[in-house]
Amino acid sequence: LLYTIKFELFMMNFPLNCTLLILVIGLASCQSYSKSQGLCQSADGQGARVKDAYYEDLLCLGRCDRDTTCTGYTVPKDTENYSMCMTYHGKAVSGDDYENAECFSKSA
């Protein structure tokens, strides 16, 4: 559905941008993320995980997109049985190799 709408809007020479897609569709992401295995932790490997917020849904991509201070988010690999996510702020993050989760680090 997302790709069809983007294609039709471009074909009509509509001045489309990412912000408009996010407002209209609510699923688009203008940010770029790097995926690594595990729960997010500080990318330099120093210290404990830097989790800032826990949510009982899978909407952290949108939260992180809208928050300029968000550095990444974690979601479970099994999203059919687990509906939760965590966001991170402050330090760059990468996965800790935990096999049941994925870390998405926001690219600069």
Side-chain angles (χ1 to χ4, degrees):
L1 176 64
L2 175 61
Y3 296 110
T4 302
I5 292 170
K6 285 170 92 174
F7 177 74
E8 290 174 359
L9 291 173
F10 277 117
M11 291 303 291
M12 295 183 304
N13 293 320
F14 188 84
L16 183 66
N17 62 39
C18 287
T19 303
L20 178 62
L21 276 177
I22 291 170
L23 293 174
V24 172
I25 301 169
L27 299 175
S29 174
C30 296
Q31 295 289 330
S32 176
Y33 292 84
S34 298
K35 181 171 78 169
S36 55
Q37 181 172 305
L39 299 167
C40 293
Q41 66 178 2
S42 59
D44 62 10
Q46 302 298 311
R49 292 188 187 95
V50 290
K51 176 185 73 169
D52 288 314
Y54 173 88
Y55 302 94
E56 292 186 359
D57 58 40
L58 297 169
L59 304 176
C60 283
L61 168 62
R63 287 185 183 99
C64 203
D65 276 352
R66 291 185 301 272
D67 185 346
T68 58
T69 64
C70 180
T71 55
Y73 65 96
T74 293
V75 292
K77 283 188 176 178
D78 181 2
T79 57
E80 290 183 23
N81 294 310
Y82 299 99
S83 181
M84 56 75 62
C85 64
M86 295 175 275
T87 58
Y88 304 85
H89 298 78
K91 293 183 176 183
V93 293
S94 64
D96 66 358
D97 293 323
Y98 175 65
E99 65 184 33
N100 295 322
E102 293 177 324
C103 174
F104 293 87
S105 178
K106 190 184 279 187
S107 302

